[in-house]
Amino acid sequence: MTETADDLSAPLGQDKPRRKRRLRLPFTAMQLLAVLLGLFLITFAGFAIFNKDPLGGEPMTRIAINATDKAADQKPAAAGPGSDTKPEGKHETKDAPKQAGEPKTVTMIDGSTGARHDVVIGGEATDKGDAAASAPPPVMAGTDQKLLEKSRYGMIPVAAGDLKPFNVYAADADRAKAAKMPVVAIVIGGLGVGAAKTNDAIMKLPPAVTLAFTPYGSDPGKLAERARAQRHEIFLQIPMEPYDFPDNDPGPQTLLTSLSADQNMDRLYWHLSRMQGYAGLANFMGARFIATEPAMQPIIREAAKRGLGFFDDGSSPRSIASLAAANQSMPFGKGDIAIDVVPTPTEIDRALNKLESTARERGIAIGTASALPVSIERIGAWTKTLADRGVLLVPLTTAMLKSKSS
């Protein structure tokens, strides 16, 4: 056997070192990356297809509704006191108000900040801390007990023979003088939610200005009671569906064209019970609802049966309220000019001058406004000299009666 020099010089007892073999993978790094990317895409596609979140991770608001009695969902919604129709089967929906004594707590969760805000709607609270917010509103002072009827939400107005809320709660006015002169009525709406602005309207505007309250706020009845004590007549605004609902949402228990007549009537009773002493109803938003005859007709019919008037703020050119009210021979009025669409002193003064000119031309003109400080200041200043210019400021009910007789 031939030995090399390396073999002779190598230490005894040690074998010749072997070369290390490199481990070869069955695929390259690029192939591995492609496989991982493919698995990620498959997982993402599966999540997008089978996940039931249509918003795909967008910030959202979650609403949790907690009822104290699950059995309430099995009870049919009552048609309400005085209704000509009887409910058949189950009419109550998820968002319909519960029976009295069954508060509904709505938890609003801001998807971007996580902030929570609990709102209790309707019913009698079981928690003492929620009692003021959810108990049926107390009957306001100065209301005629003969003109009240008990509903499951509280007391609501009703006619008693020839005695009607429209006539009893109308503000005092010289109607003989109004019949001979051009008259202007002004309705300040959206009251009851902000106590400060509502008090400004009550105290700073003359009694002949009519105040319209929404059914919301911590205690709209107390503010409405204060308004009547200052000799303002009041109207109740009923939230109705606008064309861009739900992006533009008037508030809880809004009357909707998608609901049945019984369901909308049930919501109407909830609104009617929030306060007393109002002479009539008015729409709060509601361009779609007030223009939809099958939805609007039952509301007008019910209001007429209960001895109320109806005021259309004039925001919907397609409104059928005038025709529906005429069919019921009920007092009706419609807004002619929105005074503070542009809330600057100059534009408000221009709108008031146009309102005055309209009254001279037609004999009657009705303006609408909100309780902005600039609106209250300019309207207050304008009304001080209105009579000197031969135009009489009257409550809305007086203007509605003059319109009906003309």
Side-chain angles (χ1 to χ4, degrees):
M1 181 174 65
T2 305
E3 295 181 354
T4 64
D6 290 339
D7 294 333
L8 293 174
S9 60
L12 293 177
Q14 294 187 8
D15 294 333
K16 182 179 178 181
R18 298 178 180 179
R19 293 181 181 179
K20 295 182 179 180
R21 299 180 62 183
R22 293 181 180 179
L23 179 64
R24 293 186 177 181
L25 298 175
F27 43 78
T28 65
M30 291 300 296
Q31 290 173 326
L32 175 62
L33 181 63
V35 170
L36 293 176
L37 181 60
L39 290 174
F40 173 78
L41 292 176
I42 292 172
T43 302
F44 180 81
F47 178 83
I49 293 173
F50 297 104
N51 183 44
K52 295 183 179 180
D53 179 12
L55 299 177
E58 290 287 333
M60 68 184 74
T61 298
R62 296 182 178 179
I63 301 178
I65 299 179
N66 304 316
T68 59
D69 187 1
K70 294 181 180 179
D73 291 333
Q74 306 301 322
K75 299 177 182 179
S83 175
D84 292 332
T85 59
K86 296 182 179 179
E88 296 181 3
K90 180 180 178 181
H91 290 298
E92 188 151 328
T93 60
K94 290 182 180 179
D95 58 354
K98 303 295 181 184
Q99 296 283 351
E102 299 161 11
K104 178 195 290 184
T105 301
V106 179
T107 303
M108 304 299 295
I109 306 174
D110 190 320
S112 59
T113 65
R116 292 171 174 263
H117 178 62
D118 292 341
V119 179
V120 180
I121 302 174
E124 296 178 354
T126 56
D127 188 332
K128 292 182 180 179
D130 294 335
S134 60
V139 176
M140 289 166 45
T143 54
D144 192 326
Q145 297 296 317
K146 294 190 295 293
L147 298 179
L148 293 176
E149 179 180 51
K150 187 176 181 180
S151 76
R152 65 183 180 132
Y153 302 115
M155 304 303 288
I156 62 177
V158 67
D162 293 334
L163 201 62
K164 299 179 179 181
F166 180 85
N167 299 321
V168 172
Y169 301 132
D172 294 333
D174 189 342
R175 293 178 182 172
K177 188 176 181 180
K180 302 174 183 178
M181 293 178 61
V183 300
V184 163
I186 294 179
V187 181
I188 306 295
L191 302 179
V193 175
K197 71 175 184 178
T198 300
N199 280 321
D200 281 349
I202 292 171
M203 304 307 297
K204 295 181 180 180
L205 292 173
V209 173
T210 298
L211 305 181
F213 287 77
T214 67
Y216 308 128
S218 59
D219 195 355
K222 182 178 292 185
L223 293 170
E225 191 175 273
R226 187 174 303 162
R228 295 191 67 237
Q230 293 297 318
R231 297 183 292 120
H232 293 279
E233 70 182 15
I234 64 173
F235 272 58
L236 175 64
Q237 291 181 291
I238 305 297
M240 298 178 178
E241 178 185 358
Y243 278 108
D244 52 353
F245 181 87
D247 293 334
N248 193 8
D249 190 348
Q253 313 304 328
T254 293
L255 306 190
L256 301 174
T257 57
S258 59
L259 298 179
S260 69
D262 284 348
Q263 289 170 320
N264 276 325
M265 201 62 63
D266 190 73
R267 292 185 172 206
L268 176 66
Y269 293 143
W270 185 87
H271 294 303
L272 294 180
S273 70
R274 297 304 93 187
M275 65 183 73
Q276 297 84 34
Y278 43 88
L281 307 180
N283 62 299
F284 181 61
M285 300 172 61
R288 179 190 295 276
F289 192 92
I290 205 171
T292 306
E293 185 173 356
M296 191 64 188
Q297 284 278 12
I299 303 302
I300 291 291
R301 187 163 53 246
E302 185 71 13
K305 184 176 67 175
R306 295 186 174 277
L308 300 167
F310 190 85
F311 175 66
D312 178 350
D313 67 6
S315 60
S316 176
R318 300 178 181 178
S319 172
I320 60 94
S322 176
L323 179 60
N327 290 338
Q328 299 297 322
S329 300
M330 73 183 298
F332 176 82
K334 186 174 183 178
D336 297 303
I337 296 173
I339 296 169
D340 55 0
V341 173
V342 182
T344 64
T346 301
E347 292 302 318
I348 290 174
D349 288 347
R350 182 177 287 116
L352 290 170
N353 290 333
K354 185 177 180 181
L355 186 68
E356 184 176 334
S357 299
T358 303
R360 295 182 190 280
E361 293 171 5
R362 293 174 15 196
I364 307 169
I366 303 175
T368 59
S370 58
L372 295 171
V374 64
S375 304
I376 292 175
E377 191 273 326
R378 297 315 305 156
I379 291 171
W382 177 76
T383 58
K384 289 178 181 178
T385 58
L386 185 61
D388 297 337
R389 299 192 298 273
V391 179
L392 187 64
L393 177 68
V394 298
L396 176 60
T397 53
T398 300
M400 292 166 73
L401 289 173
K402 180 173 180 175
S403 176
K404 189 176 181 181
S405 62
S406 61

